[in-house]
Amino acid sequence: MKKYDPKSIESKWQKSWEKAGISRAKGRGKKWYSLIEFPYPSGEGLHVGHVRSNTAMDVVSRKRRMQGYDVLYPIGWDAFGLPTENYALRTGVSPEVATKKNTDTFRRQLKALGFSFDWSREVDTTDPSYYKWTQWMFLQFFKKGLAYKAAMPINWCPKDKIGLANEEAAGGVCDRCGGPVEKRMKEQWMLRITAYADKLLEGLGALDYIPQAKVQQENWIGRSEGAEIDFEVKTKANYVLLHGYKGAPDKNFLPWLRRELVARGRSVQVPALPETDAPDILRQVAHVEETVRFDEQTVIVAHSLGSVVALKAIERLERPIKKLVLAAGFMTPPSKRGEESIRRNYEKTFDWRFDVEAIRRNAGEVVILRDTSDKNIPAAEADKLQTVFGGRIVDFTAKEPHICGNQEPEVLAASLDTLTVFTTRPDTLFGATYMVVAPEHQLISHLLPLISNVREVERYVAAAKAKSEAERTAEDKKKTGVALLGVRAVNPATGEDIPVWVADYVLGGYGTGAIMAVPAHDARDFAFAHAYDLPIRKVVTGPSGDHEADHVGGPDVLYDGEGILVDSGRFTGMYSEKAKPEIVKDVRGRARVQYRLRDWVFSRQRYWGEPIPLVNCEKCGWVPVPEKDLPVTLPKVKNYEPRDDGQSPLASVESWVRTKCPTCKGPARRETDTMPNWAGSSWYFLRYTDPKNKKAFADPKKLKYFMPVDWYNGGMEHTVLHLLYSRFWNHFLYDIGVVPAPEPYRKRTSHGMVLAEGGVKMSKSKGNVINPDDIVKQYGADTLRLYEMFMGPFDQTIAWDTRNIVGVYRFLERVWKTAESVSARGSDKDLEAAVTRLVKKAGEDIETMSFNTALSAMMIFINECAAKSAVPLSVWKRFLLVLAPFAPHIAEELWREVLGNKK
RNA sequence: GCCGAGGUGGUGAAAUGGUAUACACGAGGGACUUAAAAUCCCUUGGAGGUAAUACUCCGUGUGGGUUCGAUCCCCACCCUCGGCACCA
């Protein structure tokens, strides 16, 4: 027999398998779907890390075929992405051309390793016939209101000039270039993944994912149960605007007035009046009475129907308010006797008689605004109002409303009514000794003129906003903040006045952006209170109710566990768990679930991605491109550089941008943002089931047969982002009825990374990249496959060690040699027992991904054979079947050429 | 800080309550060869010890515990890696 020569046998069998179509999924029988993460075809070529996970799933797939399953083990290219675009920038080679070249290399390399992919189902995310359906799916999100555009403080990488998803900017560092990330306001398309937070969390339960993947997804979703509690903020006045009936012509006046007042730091309250076709005035009055605080600081500006509501409410007060401002001209004045009805449709449903005496008594200072620009309103109306209610008349014009503004300086102190916080510990409410708002909180700008230390506050807020998120959290977690002097809040449980601070340890993007601080029972508040000498009040103690006995210390020691309430009014003595809902109820809070998960920033200002298939029309707004016009293909461009204004290079292709509105046929402009990399990879596993379909992304029958994926192996680095996105995507498609099950992957495992020798990352610049081609050339594909399975536990990161390759190569040589001592006659009890053990051991090890021990079992078996003079044929055949999934070429050669089997 | 995984020869690592270090690499010695490579055989945790490859003791991060028996189970601690990180 010849020497073992992998080169001569491997390509022979690869061609033979391809010709016989052994790895094609048939679409009938007992199905099995093995999936690996489809590679990004980089210019570097195949990484030995790809080989590790592809071999593992190849072993599983080959085993399943031997067990009689119809196996789908597909491959494709996740080919959109920055490296290709950057390559285009550097060299001018178009991304299409570069992608073609790279996928050709990958395909050749993968085929040389003998992976049993179903090559007839190859997909490519950059192929218009593929991204047509990515765009189609985006439109489904859009139509269901799950895609929306919002001005967001986004993570902006100044180096790459690109907006990043939160996930890509983790730790304040750009996922791509490693540089710092800053914040920028930018209109972005968003996908409402938060609407699926609960489903994505619940769905995890029944799945066979490695525990780490589940935990990481749970943490990322970050569900917490708590309550929203309102704190009253005490300031000097209360400024209330009451608008008119929904169609009333106050569109300009009140919104303007509101803006003006807010801009000056006045707090404005606009109670939402119920809008019914036949306005129920009394209900509206009741609503106002419930939501407005009427006291000597209150100023009411009322307009149209709001005037009626205001007068009715004032009529019933016991104490006067500060001031009533009535906008005249929209209300027929009552008669001198004050008992006449008001015109039009109101009179049938409501008794319009007013107690003028009571109103004069309670209204405080009365101001009547007269709109001199409205010819429809007789100037006399204001006079009549004045006759009835007294006060003075101020002329203004709705076209120049600033006149009114100028008339108003005396009304200037105001109050924002409530500051709402989210807390998971309402049981500690009695210990809330101060409040903190995030630097972004609108309360600050609203109240700024009322704050005595304006400059200090402004400086702090500006500094906080200028910092990146990383800088804010990096600084040793040292807490900083500034008190809003002149602003106080009321603890709804104790009725006590407490100070309000601004501090950047409170995040603007989570909960309500404001907290109640309970320094005795929260580590962060504790640290802050110590830094600024704020009062610390202990209201929860350990389970025995005694600080000392429970080792939770005195009032100056942090205890952030739950326990028995102390100094908490009628809740004293209650356990935290019981007290939580009762306290929430007592202060009219609302139970609330919060998620850490944020919506998915789906826009990229880049060239090499799927164009977002929407058109902006001046008349119709954002309009989807009709399905028959999909795909919206990428136009050819000369320059791939993102524009300095942050827009995608597509924005410079005027002929492409300019289009017609699909709805009104008027002039319109295309969206120039493209989709992120995650889009195409969020559904590729569906396309594999029916990759050439032109009428749908896949035939429902084929989806039903192949889905879900039975076993999905991928990198640990994708267990949060890609896995969560694609699960979300699939859940959504399930909800609109186009995929058969909500969860796409039944089982998920992860492979460890393959590092270079010495345990560092492989990189071109370090010159330590192992090229699979070289290994195949020197030792053959079977040896590389075996080495990567044998190098260590599959889920563990491991450093490449070229010296160890010879071990598995020698093993294969010994296998080759052992074939010579196979004898058709005779039997051997020892070897029969040994091969039986091997079948069991290797079979089990494949299922648990213990490929290294499966191989060591084979080595032990071969060593046993070497000690014998002959190996019985029946034993040998069973061994070759075990070897075949791991080292298919040599196994096939020995099975067919040496033993003479036909199949 | 929180969550998760882990710590065993010179190296990659086996063993999940019952002979610790399987399998492989490396190293040392030997056979074959004019020689080298390749291949094959032997040795290879540490210390002591013998004529001997007998025998003795120690040994799975550290300290305790449970058990006839612990790398494995329990408690405390140290260290490494991964994830999250002021999420109220």
Side-chain angles (χ1 to χ4, degrees), chain A residues 27 31 686 689 698-708 738-741 746:
Chain A
K31 72 98 185 180
L686 299 170
T689 65
D699 179 344
K701 277 192 223 111
K702 293 182 176 171
L703 285 169
K704 186 132 209 260
Y705 173 75
F706 283 116
M707 290 298 292
V738 296
V739 299
R746 188 170 282 156

Side-chain angles (χ1 to χ4, degrees), chain A residues 118 343 737 751:
Chain A
D118 184 344
R343 65 176 174 182
H751 56 260

Side-chain angles (χ1 to χ4, degrees), chain A residues 822-829 831-832 870-875:
Chain A
V822 170
S823 151
R825 263 161 278 163
S827 67
D828 187 314
K829 285 259 156 61
L831 289 182
E832 269 157 34
V871 179
L873 180 63
S874 61
V875 169

Side-chain angles (χ1 to χ4, degrees), chain A residues 429-556:
Chain A
L429 179 57
F430 284 81
T433 53
Y434 64 100
M435 302 189 76
V436 187
V437 297
E440 297 85 356
H441 200 282
Q442 54 174 356
L443 178 84
I444 298 168
S445 56
H446 283 187
L447 293 188
L448 212 48
L450 295 183
I451 297 169
S452 27
N453 56 339
V454 191
R455 291 193 147 197
E456 198 189 358
V457 170
E458 276 182 328
R459 217 181 305 125
Y460 183 79
V461 169
K465 282 183 179 167
K467 278 188 232 167
S468 71
E469 204 142 285
E471 287 171 314
R472 271 208 216 177
T473 52
E475 293 161 357
D476 285 343
K477 285 180 198 159
K478 225 179 250 165
K479 305 232 176 337
T480 58
V482 172
L484 305 179
L485 297 177
V487 180
R488 307 285 288 185
V490 180
N491 181 324
T494 61
E496 194 181 9
D497 258 26
I498 56 176
V500 180
W501 286 65
V502 54
D504 66 4
Y505 84 89
V506 171
L507 307 174
Y510 183 79
T512 63
I515 61 155
M516 63 181 217
V518 185
H521 305 295
D522 179 280
R524 296 151 299 179
D525 300 341
F526 186 79
F528 192 76
H530 273 283
Y532 291 98
D533 211 15
L534 289 155
I536 297 171
R537 187 181 306 143
K538 197 139 202 145
V539 291
V540 176
T541 184
S544 79
D546 177 349
H547 294 315
E548 301 302 324
D550 291 325
H551 304 291
V552 295
D556 285 333

Side-chain angles (χ1 to χ4, degrees), chain A residues 704-773:
Chain A
K704 186 132 209 260
Y705 173 75
F706 283 116
M707 290 298 292
V709 172
D710 291 286
W711 191 338
Y712 189 16
N713 185 75
M716 223 34 234
E717 70 275 23
H718 289 133
T719 54
V720 175
L721 315 181
H722 161 64
L723 215 58
L724 197 65
Y725 290 150
S726 58
R727 288 183 59 227
F728 161 55
W729 201 283
N730 198 76
H731 268 267
F732 169 72
L733 295 178
Y734 174 74
D735 283 352
I736 63 168
V738 296
V739 299
E743 287 292 345
Y745 320 119
R746 188 170 282 156
K747 175 177 179 144
R748 166 76 185 195
T749 52
S750 279
H751 56 260
M753 274 188 297
V754 179
L755 302 174
E757 279 179 277
V760 294
K761 231 183 136 183
M762 281 187 197
S763 73
K764 225 178 187 174
S765 59
K766 291 198 195 94
N768 56 8
V769 177
I770 302 288
N771 185 343
D773 289 343

